[in-house]
Amino acid sequence: MAAKILCDAKKKVCILEARDRVGGRVHTLIKKGFSKPVEAGAEFIHGKLLLTICLLKEAGIKYYETDGALWQLKNDGLKKREDFIEHAEQLMKKLKELDHDISITAFLDKYFDDAKYSEMKNSLQQYIEGYDAADINYASSLALKEEWQKEEDKQYRIEGGYGLLLDHLKNNCLQNGCSIHLSTIVKKIKWKDEDVEVITKQNDSYFSGKVILTIPPLLLTGEENDAGISFDPSLPLVTEAAKQIGYGGVIKIVMEFTHAFWESGECRKAEDLFFLFSEEKIPTWWSQLPDKTPILTGWLAGPKANELVNADDDIILQQALHSLSSIFAIDTEILQKNLKASHIHNWIADPFSKGAYSYNTTTSAAAKKILATPVANTLFFAGEALDKDSNATVEAALQSGKEVAEKILK
């Protein structure tokens, strides 16, 4: 997104991309056995998000509203529920009383310490871990309040997947003279005022007056890993700020079956199923509605995802099948027999992301201000984690790229 705007302004732009593809945590796959493209990463448009919708219209890409009911496995039965979070009104009332930020754990201890609230607390923890991929011991209560106040009821999907939008941006950049180097892992950045040498793993050097870094915050913390970048001179303020931003992990399991068994009489029924919540090992599931393709997507996020971070795909697939078996009261063997195709993406094990998306902690706001401030008008930082309004979304990534490009042009 940043490159698109800078190229449109006739600037000379070079993208160094560690992966063998563009898109980062947006990854649409055409995979054998599936009837439609598979979203290994970002999947939903969370509301009428202006920049995303504008780009889709510019590219002539269609999108459509999701549909269906919310279901929950409760007391050995499937029941419909009204909202993603139970008792949301009561929780929101207390959130509005907060005059300073505290963690979700501290918030629950302060306002809902009574045993009668145990079910509500469990419901909120499931939501925070599942939806925000966050740890309630660090997640910000004020950020949760803002999230709920802004949240839109409607969600959308892109016909053909988010990859089409990334292709549009990439092609726009290439047509305007941008060079894109894939499988190019940056290891070191030597810099002084408006003079930068970027050194890759292959020991190649690229020279520029300005650099935009769009890597996830976890890769800016200075911790040793395959995708970490060192700076010369070092940037202690930047590395410390990156540690203050929450960053959650996700393991995503996409499974296509021969038919929508959850709508038949062979098991517990969940007609018109959109989202389903449970306390199984893989707790959250969703369908493709209004598209009738018999695909279920499993979602394990937050601290619980770390328990399977080193598991191989076969073990994760078996955990997914066992979870569906318990949820729908159907034999695992029957599920296995009806399974046409599967794809597992462990975003925590991915060396170039080390997780899925950011969440706001009680220290995030100050950290974002530091990272949003260019270093010597030379080093700029961008990405979904730095967006003020809608972090953890594709919209946030696009907005952040747009803002940093406009900052450079000014």
Side-chain angles (χ1 to χ4, degrees):
M1 187 66 206
K4 176 188 187 296
I5 290 168
L6 291 168
C7 287
D8 285 347
K10 309 301 181 192
K11 300 297 178 187
K12 190 175 180 184
V13 181
C14 169
I15 295 175
L16 304 180
E17 168 57 61
R19 304 177 193 272
D20 60 1
R21 60 176 179 83
V22 301
R25 288 165 279 165
V26 172
H27 190 20
T28 304
L29 290 164
I30 305 299
K31 193 162 180 183
K32 188 178 178 182
F34 282 95
S35 305
K36 60 183 291 187
V38 172
E39 293 286 37
E43 183 168 343
F44 298 101
I45 304 171
H46 302 283
K48 280 276 188 182
L49 303 176
L50 294 179
L51 185 51
T52 303
I53 300 301
C54 177
L55 288 168
L56 290 174
K57 288 179 177 175
E58 175 185 293
I61 299 169
K62 294 180 181 177
Y63 62 98
Y64 58 92
E65 189 178 336
T66 58
D67 194 16
L70 304 179
W71 287 81
Q72 183 177 22
L73 179 64
K74 204 169 185 180
N75 302 324
D76 293 328
L78 285 172
K79 295 178 174 60
K80 279 190 179 181
R81 82 186 220 189
E82 293 300 312
D83 208 343
F84 280 96
I85 176 79
E86 292 182 290
H87 312 295
E89 284 184 16
Q90 195 172 351
L91 286 163
M92 191 61 179
K93 183 171 179 281
K94 291 299 180 186
L95 282 170
K96 285 179 177 177
E97 292 177 15
L98 286 178
D99 55 5
H100 67 281
D101 206 2
I102 54 175
S103 71
I104 299 294
T105 299
F107 166 73
L108 291 173
D109 289 346
K110 182 175 181 178
Y111 291 106
F112 300 103
D113 196 32
D114 198 295
K116 68 181 179 181
Y117 295 121
S118 59
E119 192 174 329
M120 177 202 287
K121 288 164 76 171
N122 186 46
S123 173
L124 182 63
Q125 181 170 349
Q126 283 181 320
Y127 175 88
I128 299 292
E129 290 180 352
Y131 190 77
D132 295 320
D135 185 330
I136 64 169
N137 294 307
Y138 304 105
S140 158
S141 295
L142 291 182
L144 177 66
K145 179 178 76 171
E146 287 174 26
E147 180 186 314
W148 283 2
Q149 285 175 329
K150 291 176 188 171
E151 199 161 70
E152 297 192 42
D153 291 335
K154 293 182 179 179
Q155 299 194 76
Y156 304 86
R157 277 195 181 94
I158 297 171
E159 202 170 290
Y162 262 113
L164 296 176
L165 180 56
L166 268 295
D167 286 342
H168 169 69
L169 293 175
K170 179 186 75 173
N171 293 335
N172 187 285
C173 290
L174 291 172
Q175 286 162 14
N176 284 296
C178 178
S179 59
I180 301 176
H181 301 265
L182 300 177
S183 302
T184 304
I185 301 169
V186 172
K187 295 306 294 178
K188 188 171 187 176
I189 294 178
K190 297 170 77 171
W191 65 277
K192 53 188 176 181
D193 287 8
E194 302 200 54
D195 184 3
V196 185
E197 180 185 2
V198 178
I199 303 165
T200 70
K201 190 175 182 179
Q202 296 90 338
N203 218 28
D204 294 324
S205 287
Y206 295 80
F207 298 90
S208 177
K210 299 182 192 300
V211 170
I212 304 172
L213 289 105
T214 66
I215 61 176
L218 197 65
L219 299 182
L220 283 172
T221 58
E223 293 176 17
E224 283 295 316
N225 56 62
D226 293 341
I229 297 173
S230 65
F231 297 91
D232 181 14
S234 63
L235 298 171
L237 274 179
V238 166
T239 54
E240 191 53 42
K243 293 174 186 175
Q244 305 305 314
I245 295 174
Y247 191 61
V250 163
I251 298 172
K252 191 174 185 182
I253 307 109
V254 187
M255 309 166 82
E256 181 167 346
F257 295 91
T258 54
H259 63 290
F261 63 84
W262 53 94
E263 292 182 349
S264 68
E266 62 197 294
C267 65
R268 287 184 185 133
K269 288 179 77 169
E271 292 177 308
D272 199 28
L273 167 67
F274 178 30
F275 263 85
L276 188 150
F277 307 96
S278 74
E279 293 193 27
E280 294 299 319
K281 190 75 174 180
I282 311 298
T284 306
W285 295 86
W286 62 79
S287 74
Q288 295 290 302
L289 284 184
D291 184 323
K292 293 286 190 179
T293 307
I295 289 175
L296 287 179
T297 298
W299 182 259
L300 177 63
K304 289 187 174 70
N306 292 321
E307 295 170 16
L308 288 178
V309 65
N310 296 315
D312 62 39
D313 285 358
D314 286 340
I315 289 172
I316 295 170
L317 180 61
Q318 289 308 310
Q319 292 280 9
L321 288 167
H322 282 300
S323 297
L324 287 177
S325 173
S326 296
I327 291 166
F328 291 104
I330 184 170
D331 284 347
T332 317
E333 289 177 10
I334 295 172
L335 290 173
Q336 189 83 59
K337 184 182 170 185
N338 292 329
L339 183 63
K340 272 181 64 184
S342 64
H343 175 77
I344 291 156
H345 206 103
N346 185 339
W347 286 100
I348 317 169
D350 185 315
F352 302 118
S353 65
K354 292 287 186 183
Y357 46 79
S358 68
Y359 66 88
N360 286 311
T361 67
T362 55
T363 56
S364 286
K368 288 184 184 188
K369 283 181 183 174
I370 292 168
L371 290 170
T373 305
V375 177
N377 202 32
T378 302
L379 303 179
F380 296 76
F381 299 89
E384 56 81 15
L386 302 191
D387 188 70
K388 299 184 292 292
D389 299 319
S390 55
N391 67 296
T393 64
V394 176
E395 174 81 357
L398 295 170
Q399 284 285 4
S400 178
K402 179 174 180 284
E403 284 173 18
V404 78
E406 289 171 347
K407 199 176 285 183
I408 285 171
L409 292 175
K410 283 176 183 174

